[in-house]
Amino acid sequence: MGQGRKGSSDKKQRQKNRDDSPAPENGNKCRVCRFPLLVALLQLLLGVAVTAMAFLMLAISPSLMARETPHWAGIILCLVSIVGFFLYCITYQPDERSSTQFIVKLLYFILCTTGLVISLLVVAFAGHHHAQASSFICQQEGDDCVCVLDQSDPIARTFDYKGVSDCETITGTLVFYFLLQILLNLAQALVCAAGAFIMWKDRYQVFFAGTQIRSPSTQQWQKV
């Protein structure tokens, strides 16, 4: 009789502890609420736009260098977005109980941070070349366009753009493309920063690492 009452009391106590413990998130909840699909979509669209713009710039003249045509930055952002889509598709487990989920989230955070740094570098390069190209004084020499910054300086650096039949392409179209690269990569940097922040917030709950402990005296769950 006493043992039956004790067992019933233990069951009630365990049930009470479960009721008092923080409820886990519903695994069937819409994953869009857990991971903003919009971030991955924006990364993909911006990555494609940056890559396409870089190849358009390269079509103007093959003399343009890799830092002037940052197709590599767009390709990297496309890869980051693919990881984001994969993270969206995998089954969500509360508190990162799945090792796959943890690894993908960590990888996505690292890639977003890397994409942020790369995008800022591209913005710096594009800004420099935009200011430089805006001051060019160009003249046509056969099938090439030769540009300088200061005609009065005999030792000024010469920029030779091969395969350009009209120098207006350099002083007009190319300058405009540099401006678009600045805007696209700046937006790309903001999206990467948002993705990294979301991963950080999801892991640490707004920069606060909360843990749950059970007080032996009160048999209650407490948030610290």
Side-chain angles (χ1 to χ4, degrees):
M1 185 72 176
Q3 290 181 350
R5 290 180 179 178
K6 183 177 180 181
S8 176
S9 176
D10 290 342
K11 290 181 180 179
K12 290 180 179 180
Q13 184 63 41
R14 286 194 296 269
Q15 181 65 34
K16 184 174 182 298
N17 290 338
R18 284 195 296 267
D19 293 339
D20 292 337
S21 63
E25 296 184 34
N26 185 6
N28 296 325
K29 185 179 178 181
C30 176
R31 288 194 297 271
V32 176
C33 304
R34 304 183 190 280
F35 176 78
L37 184 61
L38 180 62
V39 173
L41 285 174
L42 286 176
Q43 286 175 333
L44 179 61
L45 293 176
L46 288 172
V48 171
V50 169
T51 304
M53 185 63 61
F55 284 113
L56 284 176
M57 296 171 69
L58 191 59
I60 293 177
S61 173
S63 301
L64 292 172
M65 293 180 288
R67 64 171 180 266
E68 296 175 293
T69 57
H71 54 275
W72 39 273
I75 293 174
I76 291 174
L77 257 293
C78 290
L79 295 177
V80 175
S81 68
I82 291 174
V83 177
F85 285 125
F86 181 73
L87 178 61
Y88 169 76
C89 293
I90 62 176
T91 303
Y92 181 85
Q93 295 291 335
D95 300 326
E96 298 175 353
R97 296 172 186 173
S98 169
S99 60
T100 302
Q101 177 180 295
F102 173 77
I103 292 172
V104 175
K105 287 173 71 175
L106 179 61
L107 178 62
Y108 185 71
F109 175 80
I110 294 173
L111 288 177
C112 281
T113 305
T114 304
L116 171 62
V117 175
I118 291 175
S119 298
L120 292 178
L121 286 175
V122 174
V123 169
F125 281 130
H128 169 71
H129 292 301
H130 176 269
Q132 194 175 59
S134 300
S135 304
F136 275 164
I137 301 173
C138 303
Q139 61 181 4
Q140 196 73 35
E141 294 186 3
D143 292 335
D144 301 341
C145 181
V146 179
C147 303
V148 294
L149 292 172
D150 187 1
Q151 283 184 326
S152 61
D153 187 357
I155 60 172
R157 180 182 175 185
T158 301
F159 300 86
D160 188 4
Y161 294 96
K162 298 183 180 299
V164 179
S165 59
D166 185 5
C167 287
E168 180 62 28
T169 305
I170 301 298
T171 57
T173 306
L174 187 61
V175 172
F176 178 67
Y177 283 170
F178 279 133
L179 179 60
L180 286 181
Q181 284 287 7
I182 293 173
L183 297 177
L184 288 174
N185 282 278
L186 185 60
Q188 194 168 255
L190 293 176
V191 172
C192 285
F197 173 76
I198 289 169
M199 289 297 98
W200 182 274
K201 179 181 177 181
D202 182 72
R203 179 64 180 85
Y204 293 107
Q205 297 295 318
V206 195
F207 306 101
F208 175 75
T211 57
Q212 295 169 349
I213 61 172
R214 183 179 177 185
S215 173
S217 59
T218 61
Q219 298 293 320
Q220 299 291 326
W221 292 87
Q222 298 176 353
K223 182 87 175 222
V224 299

